[in-house]
Amino acid sequence: MSVDSIPFYRDRMESPSCLPPWGLYDWLEYAQAHQDPFGGRKLPGALPLVVVQLEGPSDPPLYLALGRQELRGWARAVTYLWRLWGVGPGQIIALYDYGSSPMVFLAHRRYTPHLQRGAADALGAKPICNDGLASMAPRMVEIFRYLRPQGLIVRAELVSPLAHACREMGVTPEEFLSFVVLTEAEGVPKAAVPWRVTTLKTWRADAAFFVAGECPLCRLFHVPPLYRLARHEDGTLLVSAPFGEIFPVVGYRLGPAHLEKPGCPRESSAWRLRPC
Amino acid sequence: MLKEGFWDEMDSWPRARLDRYWTRRIRRVLDVAYNSLPFYQRRFQQVGFSPSQFRSLDDLRRLPVTERGELLNALKQAGRYPIGIERGHEEVVLCVSSGTEGDVIFLSFPRQWADMERQATLRAHWWAGLRPGGPILISAPAWHIYALGQNLLARALPAQAVIVWGTYSPEFASHVLQAIRAFSPQFLGLFLPFVFSLVAEARRRGLGPSQAFQGVKNLMVVGAPITPALRRHLQELTGVERVVEAAGSSEGLLAVECEVGQGLHLVPEKSVVEVLDAATYDPIPAGQQGAVVITNTWPWGPLYIRYATGDLGVMYPGECPCGRPSPRIKVMGRRSHLLRVGQRSFLPYDVQQAMEEAVGLVGATFAVLWEGLAKGCLHLLVQEEGIDARAVRSRLKKALEDYLDVPVKVEWAPSLPMRWKGVPPVIRREEMGGR
């Protein structure tokens, strides 16, 4: 599909062959100027199956429009990460984040209407989700106590209240967790966990349906093969998500990063990102 | 030809046919429990029960009632979930109950559970006025069973789903409000306290409350019972034509009001409900308040058989003028929220009704001060925001004392502490922060 038909891209084109890269604030500005909840990025006339309000303080909020292909593509990217982290059949994976996070709503087909296969469905794992409020940390500890999940994917800002609740309630996550993944909506989280458990991070740009995951072996961020990466002349790394059908992503600025060639034994064909 | 508002032919069945349907399904549930679920095998053995003894719904009385505490004990003793009441292991999604009473209950829903849940959710929402065509605001976070039900609903209709960032706590009211205004759903299902959070947010933005709900034709409220006066108040406040009350629990209670609005019809796919004496679990006449006890009618997922949900409710006598055969119930509140003042006890619903009938104060947010109960006084903390306190300030205490026949103290507060499900019914002074 040509991006000429998408108002946001069409209006930004400097010439028929030159589409400048864009970032979150460009989109926000366009949305505010045009009073369009989708900020001009939705294919005109297309009816999204799922609409997701983007995390962030923007007022009015921005929305992602997901058709079948967007749902499938983004979920496959999340599945790729779960596989990279070693998730397998029968494992229990605990999710501590809002249900509006793609790390949650793409985890299982039961979480999201019209999603055919989430990461847990694809890998035969069992997800359990806790709401992303800090005040829900004690409930997360109860999940730890009685389900002993092998993996935890947690909103980075919740690590501290969760660790506190674990101490208070006498639960030691090291006893059962094989890995913890820290995640946040934009970029790579800075937080760390106080447990002696393999700790990994995501690199997300929800506005671009983008998610990469830190590899437990090479410690770089493996990029699922669903995305196209390019280096802009100013050195910024740009991402496109060719799976987008009604809400295409072309030339989103990921920010400064080194792109490393494939070569990790864990997944030998993956291009990898190293944050600058 | 189906009657307006009916979901399918089942809504026109005679009651006797519905009873036969339930009897067949419960027999299957009991067979599964007897043959393959360790928790119930032990329990049935203790009372010498076998499924062959179950011939009619009255035979449920042969089984003991299971309380939430017993399941929590089973979990604590096992040290791990599951606890032996679960059937099905394919494509399982694990859920938790909201845990508002401290302990959480785990639930596992396999693929086969979804068939029933889809049908039940469709019926419930159809009764509540949802029709195909508009978007559905996913109004529960992913961990909650209602989110799973809404997902099935959106797939089945089919409908566009709108997922709002965050969760349904007051600090996210702004995001939900903006999503409602951007996508104009005709149907909304919300926790009752969250309706007031949306109204407050609308006012904060300089909007009239009805502008927040513009385009909404049916508002389904859950999480607390509403009085007739509160229903009218909500209609006037939001401008929504129809306000429908629904009640549900993670364990399988599901009941929704019909167009008549006299009680909530049980959704037959989910559970059969008994209202029993709260102390003895003996049968009581319809119309009398007692403990709500459910028995699931679908043999997949976690099975709750004669399970006391922790709710107090009333079963309505007779048939509903709407013609649906399913019995009607009103869930009045949680047993743990029972307020004991001297020899008398009330639920927050009773206090709400007293405020309405004694002084015409409708829709007030209030809590009861724990320290007051300890001294034998109903010490009410009433939130000033959103109500004209001057009109009732001088009269409220005396009017409530006359109405409820207990000592009452009224304290006006600028705001009350909110939890995920709204203001808790009983608050300790220390929770009021700085007062």
Side-chain angles (χ1 to χ4, degrees):
Chain A
M1 181 191 49
S2 164
V3 292
D4 299 3
S5 50
I6 308 293
F8 172 73
Y9 293 115
R10 189 181 55 219
D11 293 355
R12 292 174 58 77
M13 275 181 166
E14 288 164 357
S15 71
S17 60
C18 182
L19 176 62
W22 59 281
L24 198 51
Y25 287 96
D26 300 309
W27 184 31
L28 183 59
E29 207 173 83
Y30 190 96
Q32 283 171 345
H34 293 80
Q35 297 191 329
D36 173 6
F38 298 110
R41 285 181 55 200
K42 184 175 75 63
L43 181 68
L47 287 175
L49 294 171
V50 176
V51 172
V52 177
Q53 195 181 68
L54 196 71
E55 175 173 345
S58 64
D59 193 351
L62 291 166
Y63 294 86
L64 302 170
L66 281 71
R68 211 166 289 287
Q69 298 305 322
E70 283 81 3
L71 278 168
R72 196 168 76 138
W74 206 0
R76 284 175 66 193
V78 173
T79 305
Y80 173 94
L81 303 188
W82 281 39
R83 195 178 281 121
L84 177 73
W85 298 328
V87 176
Q91 287 191 352
I92 295 175
I93 304 300
L95 308 164
Y96 186 15
D97 198 344
Y98 297 113
S100 53
S101 160
M103 299 307 292
V104 175
F105 72 73
L106 298 172
H108 200 286
R109 65 194 292 267
R110 294 264 166 264
Y111 287 164
T112 303
H114 313 295
L115 174 65
Q116 297 300 316
R117 205 151 84 132
D121 307 298
L123 301 173
K126 297 176 193 174
I128 180 155
C129 175
N130 188 33
D131 210 3
L133 295 165
S135 59
M136 297 290 179
R139 188 167 66 190
M140 195 70 224
V141 180
E142 291 293 285
I143 290 171
F144 280 176
R145 195 193 302 277
Y146 291 111
L147 291 175
R148 303 175 74 81
Q150 284 79 42
L152 168 68
I153 299 173
V154 56
R155 186 179 177 79
E157 67 189 23
L158 298 172
V159 167
S160 175
L162 179 59
H164 176 76
C166 283
R167 278 194 303 275
E168 292 280 305
M169 296 167 72
V171 168
T172 314
E174 287 98 324
E175 288 175 8
F176 45 87
L177 284 180
S178 302
F179 68 89
V180 176
V181 176
L182 305 179
T183 189
E184 59 190 29
E186 191 68 27
V188 179
K190 301 273 190 293
V193 302
W195 311 308
R196 283 190 302 276
V197 176
T198 303
T199 302
L200 305 161
K201 292 176 179 177
T202 59
W203 185 328
R204 275 167 55 197
D206 290 356
F209 303 137
F210 177 78
V211 60
E214 189 176 356
C215 169
L217 194 63
C218 71
R219 308 307 297 206
L220 297 178
F221 288 81
H222 284 219
V223 179
L226 297 134
Y227 303 106
R228 276 196 209 128
L229 297 169
R231 173 81 60 195
H232 189 248
E233 57 200 26
D234 67 6
T236 322
L237 206 59
L238 307 180
V239 66
S240 299
F243 54 78
E245 189 178 49
I246 63 165
F247 205 77
V249 177
V250 182
Y252 180 85
R253 283 180 185 276
L254 263 189
H258 295 294
L259 186 59
E260 304 274 346
K261 286 183 179 162
C264 172
R266 184 96 174 185
E267 218 279 275
S268 58
S269 62
W271 286 81
R272 294 164 295 159
L273 296 177
R274 183 197 300 275
C276 289
Chain B
M1 180 81 175
L2 283 178
K3 207 169 151 184
E4 170 66 23
F6 281 21
W7 167 243
D8 61 10
E9 190 226 347
M10 193 182 197
D11 287 349
S12 310
W13 283 0
R15 175 59 196 266
R17 185 170 173 192
L18 180 64
D19 283 351
R20 287 198 299 276
Y21 162 89
W22 272 339
T23 305
R24 261 196 324 273
R25 286 178 54 134
I26 290 178
R27 193 175 296 134
R28 238 181 110 195
V29 166
L30 294 174
D31 277 335
V32 166
Y34 183 79
N35 289 311
S36 58
L37 302 181
F39 179 88
Y40 290 112
Q41 285 171 334
R42 286 192 298 272
R43 219 158 167 76
F44 289 2
Q45 204 171 27
Q46 279 164 6
V47 294
F49 176 83
S50 87
S52 61
Q53 294 169 296
F54 180 79
R55 294 182 193 90
S56 74
L57 294 176
D58 286 343
D59 290 326
L60 276 175
R61 293 178 200 157
R62 294 170 180 267
L63 286 162
V65 170
T66 300
E67 293 181 339
R68 181 185 170 88
E70 293 174 85
L71 294 183
L72 290 170
N73 279 341
L75 181 63
K76 280 174 186 152
Q77 277 169 17
R80 289 290 287 266
Y81 182 81
I83 56 170
I85 65 166
E86 304 80 6
R87 183 182 185 218
H89 305 287
E90 288 172 53
E91 297 174 34
V92 162
V93 178
L94 296 159
C95 278
V96 278
S97 64
S98 56
T100 40
E101 290 182 10
D103 294 302
V104 299
I105 286 211
F106 294 95
L107 306 114
S108 70
F109 299 115
R111 181 176 54 78
Q112 298 89 339
W113 164 87
D115 298 336
M116 175 280 297
E117 187 67 18
R118 181 182 306 107
Q119 184 65 12
T121 308
L122 278 165
R123 184 184 305 281
H125 284 79
W126 194 266
W127 287 356
L130 176 66
R131 296 292 179 269
I136 291 180
L137 216 67
I138 301 296
S139 59
W143 59 269
H144 199 276
I145 185 177
Y146 186 47
L148 306 188
Q150 281 190 317
N151 171 11
L152 294 165
L153 188 67
R155 275 175 202 257
L157 282 174
Q160 180 184 75
V162 179
I163 299 173
V164 182
W165 174 48
T167 189
Y168 280 68
S169 65
E171 62 263 43
F172 288 97
S174 159
H175 298 271
V176 177
L177 177 67
Q178 300 210 55
I180 295 170
R181 288 176 63 76
F183 295 98
S184 305
Q186 293 185 4
F187 178 94
L188 271 183
L190 294 172
F191 282 107
L192 178 62
F194 199 75
V195 175
F196 293 105
S197 299
L198 287 176
V199 167
E201 177 60 24
R203 287 187 171 131
R204 199 183 65 77
R205 289 176 168 267
L207 297 169
S210 62
Q211 286 174 285
F213 292 87
Q214 212 159 26
V216 179
K217 293 200 168 90
N218 294 276
L219 173 63
M220 184 176 81
V221 292
V222 295
I226 55 173
T227 60
L230 183 56
R231 185 200 310 278
R232 285 192 299 277
H233 177 67
L234 287 171
Q235 284 170 320
E236 284 163 16
L237 192 67
T238 61
V240 175
E241 282 170 34
R242 187 169 168 226
V243 174
V244 180
E245 183 181 335
S249 74
S250 305
E251 296 91 342
L253 171 69
L254 184 59
V256 182
E257 275 181 337
C258 63
E259 310 76 14
V260 176
Q262 293 172 7
L264 286 64
H265 285 276
L266 300 177
V267 175
E269 287 89 349
K270 296 274 285 187
S271 294
V272 162
V273 173
E274 302 165 89
V275 173
L276 303 173
D277 184 282
T280 62
Y281 293 125
D282 288 331
I284 55 174
Q288 200 174 313
Q289 184 170 291
V292 175
V293 173
I294 63 168
T295 298
N296 296 166
T297 59
W298 183 246
W300 291 98
L303 297 191
Y304 291 91
I305 299 172
R306 288 207 104 202
Y307 173 73
T309 62
D311 294 306
L312 292 171
V314 176
M315 200 62 99
Y316 281 64
E319 289 174 4
C320 181
C322 79
R324 289 176 181 83
S326 183
R328 292 164 297 152
I329 189 175
K330 176 107 175 167
V331 176
M332 311 304 287
R334 299 290 294 167
R335 240 176 131 153
S336 58
H337 294 169
L338 209 54
L339 310 163
R340 292 181 205 283
V341 187
Q343 297 300 309
R344 308 208 58 190
S345 56
F346 314 98
L347 283 166
Y349 180 88
D350 303 316
V351 178
Q352 182 185 318
Q353 199 163 33
M355 283 186 178
E356 291 166 3
E357 291 182 8
V359 292
L361 181 58
V362 184
T365 302
F366 68 92
V368 172
L369 190 70
W370 182 87
E371 286 85 346
L373 291 175
K375 291 177 191 161
C377 172
L378 187 69
H379 185 148
L380 289 178
L381 304 160
V382 188
Q383 187 167 290
E384 285 171 324
E385 189 188 344
I387 57 171
D388 184 2
R390 286 166 307 175
V392 293
R393 192 181 281 270
S394 58
R395 297 183 291 132
L396 186 58
K397 172 183 152 58
K398 172 81 170 60
L400 285 178
E401 281 181 337
D402 291 346
Y403 192 98
L404 295 169
D405 196 23
V406 293
V408 172
K409 189 173 174 186
V410 178
E411 184 178 332
W412 297 88
S415 64
L416 294 172
M418 291 289 273
R419 303 284 183 268
W420 187 75
K421 283 191 171 175
V423 173
V426 179
I427 291 176
R428 288 176 188 260
R429 175 64 74 190
E430 65 192 27
E431 294 176 79
M432 291 294 288
R435 287 178 60 86

